Amino acid sequence: MLIHKRSDFPDGFLFGAATSAYQIEGHKFGGAGRAMWDDFAATPGNVVRAEDGALACDHYHRYGADLDLLKDAGFDAYRFSTSWARVMPDGRTLNPEGLDFYDRLTDAMLERGLKPCATLYHWELPSALADQGGWRNRDIAGWFGDFTEAVMARLGDRMYSVATINEFWCVSWLSHFLGHHAPGLRDIRATARAMHHVLLAHGTAIERMRGLGVQNLGAVFNMEWAAPADESPEAAEAAALYDDIYNHFFVSGAFKGTYPERLVTALGNHFPEGWQDDMTKISARLDWAGINYYTRSLLAADDGPWPHLRAVDGPLEKTQMGWEIYPQGLHDFLVRTAREYTGDLPLYVTENGMSNADMVMDGVVDDAARIAYFNSHLSAVRNAIGKGVPVKGYMAWSLLDNYEWALGYEKRFGMVHVDFETLERVPKASWHAFKGMLAK
Ligand code: FCB
């Protein structure tokens, strides 16, 4: 059971669930083009069992029933994403069938009284643009601006809120430095360029949407609490650097128009020439900020090359992903983000949740561990609100079990179980727990 009540949160506080296009829709339908995740998954060793999003949850055809699940649980909002490769299969030319899908989806949300919260980019880069360098190519800012205009000219007046980019760190660092996500590069120069270009694309999209009169614009930042693994000054330095790379760089760019000094020193040579001139556009005014939060990392110094750090296994209870459960980090990020960057601007928790080895037994999925996770993290949100932080909503990740990127269909994050053979949906105990809580 969830120990909270809707009435424990301020009036108008939004509860929702989040998903993303490639993870649930089924990319083989509706004329979608090839996305870089199709290529990444087709390359052996990148994704568990080389699985991809071709079918996923077949949400493309089942969206009505999936939205009913949100409505029946009493959620207020739905955070979804618009696949670039579906709307523009070659990255530049409109596929009317693709845009029609999001049009139908939007109307279906509104019919059910759900607030549509769009994210323009949740990693479905068309392969044709990856061929041209993807996030390494400065032109991506303009391409993304054009995509944004095409989508929002059609949907913009029906959105409750719009985010440009999901998780800047994943788009750049995880995908170009660590190589864990598409396009799977391990190249410091590509990384530095992607870090800057993804922010430039964000700023460009904001400018285009202001031009169209679209309301309530923001972006979604993922944050991972960085703590030193021991008491040494070296570990403290490793944690501070990790914090800069992961957490400060992107919010600082977007809200202050500056990058952390340490990273300008370390990466400045790799940033595109004249990057300083982009900072005004990058820090275009926003109406809200979203934080995705899952876990913390413990950092120690490492003798290797820059960034001279490594993550160390932590002592806390872990989820199926091997991620430590650390709700205090969510509280601390909400407080810190408001204090250092966003002030009175509304903050949303745009993703939070855990994967668990869920199984259907006698028609029931007892995901008690997930309910406990939600309980502790909702407490963290309440504590932050109690300190005056303007948190305006909480979106659970995720509505459905889905394609968990490099981990394929193995890791289950849903409040609703999906059988990937039959595609049958079974609401888990956590879905029922939200339903109970949202009625109170
Ligand atoms: C986030 C992603 C989301 C999902 C969760 C578990 O980084 O935004 O798509 O994979 O992690």
Side-chain angles (χ1 to χ4, degrees):
M1 200 182 89
L2 284 166
I3 55 176
H4 307 276
K5 301 190 287 295
R6 196 189 259 284
S7 54
D8 294 330
F9 292 82
D11 278 352
F13 189 90
L14 294 186
F15 284 96
T19 64
S20 88
Y22 192 83
Q23 292 178 278
I24 63 166
E25 286 175 0
H27 230 243
K28 66 180 176 185
F29 306 117
R34 217 176 155 78
M36 70 171 166
W37 268 93
D38 296 320
D39 308 319
F40 185 70
T43 312
N46 284 339
V47 176
V48 170
R49 294 185 292 262
E51 288 167 339
D52 62 24
L55 178 59
C57 306
D58 188 22
H59 176 74
Y60 185 82
H61 295 110
R62 297 164 194 250
Y63 66 92
D66 290 341
L67 294 180
D68 286 343
L69 287 165
L70 284 166
K71 180 179 181 234
D72 292 349
F75 285 107
D76 312 301
Y78 178 43
R79 178 173 175 245
F80 69 107
S81 79
T82 49
S83 165
W84 193 342
R86 176 179 299 292
V87 173
M88 295 180 157
D90 66 359
R92 306 288 294 142
T93 320
L94 196 70
N95 163 33
E97 211 184 335
L99 207 43
D100 286 351
F101 171 67
Y102 296 114
D103 201 307
R104 291 198 295 281
L105 184 67
T106 299
D107 283 344
M109 283 181 241
L110 295 174
E111 279 159 21
R112 290 165 178 77
L114 294 165
K115 293 185 164 52
C117 301
T119 299
L120 281 154
Y121 183 74
H122 200 129
W123 311 350
E124 314 87 356
L125 187 74
S127 299
L129 298 183
D131 293 344
Q132 295 176 62
W135 292 105
R136 283 174 289 164
N137 186 337
R138 181 182 176 84
D139 289 346
I140 199 161
W143 301 334
F144 184 61
D146 295 344
F147 161 67
T148 298
E149 275 198 58
V151 173
M152 287 304 151
R154 180 84 170 269
L155 307 183
D157 58 347
R158 283 171 287 162
M159 294 297 108
Y160 176 77
S161 68
V162 183
T164 52
I165 301 281
N166 178 68
E167 303 195 339
F168 297 76
W169 178 88
C170 291
V171 173
S172 52
W173 194 268
L174 186 65
S175 312
H176 296 77
F177 191 82
L178 299 176
H180 294 171
H181 276 189
L185 295 181
R186 301 198 57 211
D187 181 319
I188 195 167
R189 189 168 175 83
T191 304
R193 283 163 185 263
M195 288 166 89
H196 183 72
H197 291 152
V198 68
L199 280 161
L200 185 59
H202 154 80
T204 305
I206 294 293
E207 195 177 85
R208 301 283 191 98
M209 288 192 284
R210 294 282 180 216
L212 289 172
V214 184
Q215 306 284 313
N216 210 9
L217 309 182
V220 170
F221 303 89
N222 55 316
M223 297 191 183
E224 186 172 292
W225 195 257
D230 57 55
E231 315 245 290
S232 67
E234 290 80 13
E237 175 58 24
L241 175 57
Y242 189 88
D243 200 18
D244 272 356
I245 294 171
Y246 205 119
N247 303 312
H248 285 295
F249 184 86
F250 304 100
V251 257
S252 178
F255 287 96
K256 291 190 169 164
T258 58
Y259 292 148
E261 225 16 78
R262 262 195 207 88
L263 297 184
V264 172
T265 307
L267 297 174
N269 284 342
H270 300 302
F271 287 154
E273 205 173 318
W275 61 270
Q276 294 89 341
D277 301 339
D278 296 328
M279 298 314 286
T280 305
K281 187 179 272 196
I282 284 176
S283 55
R285 180 180 59 83
L286 298 180
D287 304 310
W288 59 274
I291 296 178
N292 291 355
Y293 177 81
Y294 291 93
T295 188
R296 73 164 185 180
S297 264
L298 297 183
L299 289 311
D302 187 78
D303 297 338
W306 189 88
H308 319 296
L309 55 80
R310 73 194 147 83
V312 172
D313 196 36
L316 303 179
E317 190 190 336
K318 298 193 178 71
T319 71
Q320 191 195 20
M321 296 289 273
W323 295 349
E324 284 195 312
I325 300 174
Y326 184 63
Q328 183 67 31
L330 178 55
H331 164 272
D332 293 352
F333 272 132
L334 290 167
V335 171
R336 180 171 104 176
T337 303
R339 192 173 291 154
E340 291 185 25
Y341 295 106
T342 55
D344 295 336
L345 227 52
L347 290 181
Y348 291 85
V349 178
T350 31
E351 281 180 33
N352 179 238
M354 69 173 278
S355 70
N356 196 43
D358 301 317
M359 282 181 314
V360 185
M361 309 250 281
D362 300 328
V364 171
V365 184
D366 180 14
D367 58 341
R370 183 173 289 105
I371 296 174
Y373 184 100
F374 285 139
N375 267 327
S376 59
H377 287 78
L378 285 168
S379 295
V381 172
R382 282 175 65 183
N383 290 341
I385 294 172
K387 293 198 177 132
V389 180
V391 191
K392 303 294 185 194
Y394 175 93
M395 316 260 181
W397 183 272
S398 182
L399 175 64
L400 305 170
D401 291 339
N402 60 47
Y403 179 65
E404 181 43 41
W405 307 113
L407 300 168
Y409 294 94
E410 200 174 77
K411 302 288 188 248
R412 295 181 175 274
F413 273 93
M415 294 180 284
V416 174
H417 185 277
V418 177
D419 178 325
F420 291 106
E421 297 294 320
T422 63
L423 298 174
E424 191 193 345
R425 275 78 161 143
V426 177
K428 303 180 190 177
S430 56
W431 181 91
H432 290 285
F434 263 107
K435 183 171 174 151
M437 174 186 130
L438 294 174
K440 285 188 248 168

